[in-house]
Amino acid sequence: MASDGTKTTEGAIGGRLGEALSERVRVAMLDAFAQGAAPEVEAAVHAANAGGQLIKPTSDARFGDYQVNAILPLAKLLKGNPRALAQRFVEVFDSRGMCLAPEIAGPGFVNLRLDPSWLAAELGRAATDARLGVAPVAQPQRVIVDFSSPNVAKRMHVGHLRSTVIGDALVRTLKFLGHAVVGDNHIGDWGTQFGILLWAWKRGHDEAALNADPIGELERLYKEGTAAMKADVEIANACRAELAKLQAGDAENKALWERFVAVSRAEAERVYARLEVTFDSWHGESFYNDRLPGLVEELRAKGVATESEGAICIFLDEPGLPTTPFIIRKSDGAFLYATTDLATVEYRRETLHAERLVYVVDVRQSDHFRQLFATCKKIGWDADFVHVGFGMMLGADGRPFKTRDGGVVRLDQLLDEAEERILPVVREKWPEATEAAQRLIASKVGAGAVKYADLAQNLATDYKFDWDKLLAADGNTGPYLQYALVRCLSIFREAENRLGLVFAPDGTALLLGTDEEKALALELARFGDTLDRMGAQLLPHILCEYLFALARLFSAFYAKCPILASNIDAATRHSRLTLTHLVWRTLETGLSCLNIPRVTRM
RNA sequence: GCGCCUGUAGCUCAGUCGGAUAGAGCAUCGGCCUUCUAAGCCGAUGGUCGGAGGUUCGAAUCCUCUCAGGCGCGCCA
């Protein structure tokens, strides 16, 4: 990550300013209030601490940098005057080094102000650290992130974008935090669609079309097969027969299936390459086939699953869950994706020793995952299960994002369009570059804009895809962040060109003279806490918002605080270069966690 | 019919398991390039937090009801 001889040394606070402060607050609270008090007081402090509620950044700079709100609710438990309790807290609070003397305000808030000289020294040190002072988490988890998961024989389209981009960002961020992460592409490479595909293939495929556009031909066959099957019961039976042969290991069907999977994967890989997305494994549904029969029998034997109307079902009578059963074997004996998902959990727990299982899948499948997780719990498979459900991608008109004629938007064409739309701007801003260089920048800015738009919003809701908004260089967009990073690099380039100054941070404390520098420093110090929060909540927009705020503060600093001008003294210049260096590497690290491409100029 | 999710400024969205005067961006209006990329910066205007009750020192946040929109509901994934 560091290209200039920086070394890894953990900062005094492990890069978690908020966490360090919070710990001091916790100690002071127990010290001030828990002695001889009701056990609820201690429990309340622990609860607030666990929820990260002991401190929070102030809502207003006049209140300092962090505020302690937790004394007010405690006052109720202690039946005391909040301000008097705050006074007791302030007396025992250890502000040594980190903070100035705490202040009591309002009905019983305590305002904490960071000691500027401590912050300046801390950041000076962080600038020389390869991880910006952010130590890996103390307790790494084994995490599986299940994401992207396209179906074989179908082209990658915008419906796959969100899972792919969000999952990838989660994987990279959790890895940076020090967790043992496996990003798994759980491709849809098994199931009833292959019966249809095999039948349609045998009825008549076009070898020339297959060579020219493999996925196009498979999609055509699938579409025709589905239509034929719906129109004719005999054909539906024939499709089922083909599927049965495949499942029984028929050599011809198996070979065809392998061919379908191979061409589909090749197609998907081309799109992943453009998105720069990678996986640690590609364990599709077929990977778990062998486990299915035994699993169903085991669950029947355990009494977890029972037969109903010929199907093997799991009934989960719990509030919040659908009343319909979780079906793991159809009445015709075939298995379903519920079965595969259970077998997948079993494998991930037993073989991969997963502690946390993350599924990045469309929110419309939340019922399925609620049932899946409840079933696992019922079986006794203990783990931290999370469904990261995201909303649909809508057009600017608020209706599902489609092509003009109502078709699905192909992912490769979406990326083409992003590049085409941004290319004129690149040509205008950098006319002396070669066509190839301009195209490369345009592809990175275009893909980055599309990906960032997907990550920047809370994923619970549908999001509106609007070319003008996401490609804009102002506002919370990919291009804005890439531009901020480019400006950092430009400063170092010009320092070398004009002054012959090759800058490297040396660990000396910053000089935080102006409001812009102070605000920037405080934000930089919050990077580690932000990563933790994103890792805990699995919400990429938390990191996006942070990076945007940082980039904005940097832009204000850039406008107000000259660095290379001749009237700037050496010490100030060095400090501002260090700040710029920190911003550069924070943006670099943050964008790389989100996997938004970085460029050196634009 | 049952269940889940969403409703915050003209538009797009934040709001960290209740906390101080609800925040950004876009758009609009007004400023800023003889120093590092103006794809930028600064300022101003703009909100009954869908509505009504309730809980309490204190509610966008918790509870109840209600309106509006989206999604899902036995052998597809």
Side-chain angles (χ1 to χ4, degrees):
Chain A
M1 185 170 308
S3 56
D4 44 53
T6 52
K7 59 188 187 300
T8 299
T9 52
E10 290 173 19
I13 54 173
R16 274 85 167 175
L17 168 60
E19 200 179 306
L21 263 182
S22 190
E23 175 58 17
R24 289 198 185 191
V25 168
R26 188 185 69 83
V27 169
M29 286 213 166
L30 291 176
D31 214 20
F33 308 133
Q35 309 295 335
E40 298 89 69
V41 173
E42 198 171 333
V45 173
H46 286 313
N49 189 46
Q53 291 304 293
L54 282 178
I55 61 161
K56 65 194 293 186
T58 48
S59 51
D60 188 316
R62 286 180 301 134
F63 303 141
D65 301 319
Y66 285 88
Q67 60 190 61
V68 180
N69 299 332
I71 292 171
L72 286 152
L74 278 181
K76 200 172 294 178
L77 281 171
L78 290 161
K79 299 184 177 63
N81 176 304
R83 281 193 71 101
L85 293 173
Q87 185 58 41
R88 242 160 79 194
F89 169 81
V90 163
E91 279 160 15
V92 297
F93 179 73
D94 173 18
S95 60
R96 270 177 311 145
M98 291 180 80
C99 303
L100 304 177
E103 290 162 20
I104 301 169
F109 301 110
V110 174
N111 295 332
L112 301 176
R113 211 172 288 273
L114 294 173
D115 179 345
S117 61
W118 174 81
L119 182 62
E122 197 67 29
L123 285 172
R125 271 197 298 276
T128 64
D129 186 296
R131 291 179 56 92
L132 290 153
V134 180
V137 291
Q139 294 175 322
Q141 272 187 311
R142 301 192 71 85
V143 187
I144 313 294
V145 180
D146 181 321
F147 72 108
S148 195
S149 309
N151 284 323
V152 163
K154 283 187 186 166
R155 205 185 292 277
M156 297 277 282
H157 57 83
V158 292
H160 299 109
L161 183 66
R162 297 208 78 184
S163 176
T164 305
V165 170
I166 293 164
D168 185 44
L170 295 179
V171 167
R172 285 167 195 265
T173 305
L174 291 171
K175 280 181 178 173
F176 180 79
L177 282 170
H179 297 289
V181 187
V182 175
D184 184 32
N185 197 358
H186 190 74
I187 53 174
D189 64 356
W190 202 251
T192 46
Q193 76 265 31
F194 286 99
I196 298 165
L197 205 52
L198 286 164
W199 177 85
W201 174 276
K202 289 177 181 176
R203 188 184 66 162
H205 61 275
D206 182 341
E207 196 66 40
L210 190 80
N211 288 329
D213 176 17
I215 290 288
E217 175 65 1
L218 290 184
E219 277 192 327
R220 185 187 69 79
L221 288 172
Y222 182 70
K223 209 171 285 178
E224 285 183 11
T226 307
M229 181 196 74
K230 280 181 180 160
D232 187 336
V233 188
E234 286 303 309
I235 294 174
N237 287 333
C239 290
R240 264 193 286 278
E242 293 293 349
L243 180 66
K245 274 169 71 182
L246 173 66
Q247 289 175 333
D250 174 79
E252 184 194 7
N253 280 10
K254 186 96 185 295
L256 282 171
W257 171 76
E258 280 167 357
R259 193 169 168 193
F260 298 157
V261 172
V263 298
S264 301
R265 175 158 176 167
E267 169 81 10
E269 297 264 33
R270 270 194 291 279
V271 176
Y272 291 137
R274 294 187 66 179
L275 291 170
E276 298 181 40
V277 169
T278 54
F279 299 89
D280 299 305
S281 61
W282 285 65
H283 290 166
E285 294 173 335
S286 65
F287 182 81
Y288 306 94
N289 281 343
D290 296 345
R291 312 175 80 95
L292 305 184
L295 177 62
V296 171
E297 286 314 316
E298 188 192 327
L299 294 182
R300 288 185 79 178
K302 279 186 176 170
V304 173
T306 52
E307 189 177 325
S308 168
E309 296 173 30
I312 307 302
C313 303
I314 296 166
F315 291 91
L316 300 153
D317 187 21
E318 290 171 40
L321 288 179
T323 51
T324 53
F326 199 51
I327 300 177
I328 57 173
R329 200 175 78 192
K330 300 202 284 182
S331 50
D332 67 2
F335 303 109
L336 302 92
Y337 80 129
T339 331
T340 311
D341 279 355
L342 279 172
T344 305
V345 172
E346 184 184 43
Y347 171 81
R348 287 172 177 171
R349 276 174 38 85
E350 287 181 359
T351 308
L352 304 178
H353 308 292
E355 298 162 273
R356 192 180 197 191
L357 288 88
V358 179
Y359 296 82
V360 187
V361 182
D362 190 338
V363 75
R364 284 177 295 186
Q365 292 192 43
S366 57
D367 278 349
H368 168 74
F369 285 105
R370 266 191 270 265
Q371 288 186 308
L372 176 67
F373 301 161
T375 299
C376 290
K377 204 172 160 190
K378 194 168 178 177
I379 298 170
W381 291 344
D382 189 37
D384 181 9
F385 295 100
V386 191
H387 172 212
V388 176
F390 51 84
M392 273 193 299
M393 193 161 144
L394 306 176
D397 58 0
R399 299 172 43 199
F401 191 64
K402 293 279 172 63
T403 58
R404 260 184 219 92
D405 54 6
V408 293
V409 179
R410 289 169 48 171
L411 220 34
D412 55 347
Q413 290 173 345
L414 188 80
L415 294 171
D416 288 344
E417 184 166 356
E419 187 176 328
E420 289 307 319
R421 281 174 180 263
I422 208 71
L423 192 56
V425 183
V426 178
R427 287 195 172 124
E428 182 198 331
K429 295 295 170 186
W430 196 12
E432 68 273 23
T434 64
E435 169 76 11
Q438 290 170 337
R439 286 232 164 242
L440 183 66
I441 297 293
S443 73
K444 285 180 179 288
V445 174
V450 168
K451 294 173 74 171
Y452 189 82
D454 211 318
L455 295 168
Q457 188 172 322
N458 191 333
L459 8 113
T461 51
D462 296 340
Y463 91 102
K464 287 189 182 147
F465 187 92
D466 184 333
W467 280 117
D468 293 334
K469 283 206 167 95
L470 68 93
L471 290 173
D474 18 12
N476 190 7
T477 66
Y480 181 83
L481 294 186
Q482 289 169 321
Y483 181 57
L485 191 147
V486 160
R487 288 172 119 185
C488 292
L489 295 177
S490 168
I491 290 171
F492 296 121
R493 197 163 47 227
E494 289 307 305
E496 199 170 341
N497 289 345
R498 299 183 191 190
L499 308 176
L501 193 162
V502 179
F503 177 77
D506 59 8
T508 54
L510 298 169
L511 301 171
L512 302 175
T514 65
D515 288 347
E516 285 78 15
E517 288 164 288
K518 284 177 197 156
L520 191 52
L522 181 61
E523 197 66 19
L524 283 165
R526 288 173 170 163
F527 184 48
D529 290 318
T530 305
L531 288 172
D532 278 351
R533 226 152 44 84
M534 177 177 157
Q537 300 187 33
L538 303 179
L539 295 173
H541 84 274
I542 291 173
L543 182 53
C544 293
E545 291 235 317
Y546 170 82
L547 294 175
F548 177 53
L550 183 71
R552 271 175 53 77
L553 290 169
F554 173 72
S555 295
F557 159 81
Y558 182 94
K560 280 257 179 68
C561 303
I563 298 173
L564 305 179
S566 54
N567 62 337
I568 299 299
D569 65 85
T572 301
R573 177 177 293 153
H574 185 272
S575 172
R576 289 179 176 174
L577 284 168
T578 306
L579 265 176
T580 304
H581 198 269
L582 279 162
V583 171
W584 162 48
R585 290 206 301 122
T586 303
L587 287 172
E588 172 68 34
T589 306
L591 289 176
S592 111
C593 282
L594 298 171
N595 202 8
I596 301 297
R598 281 79 64 205
V599 293
T600 52
R601 66 167 297 169
M602 61 190 277

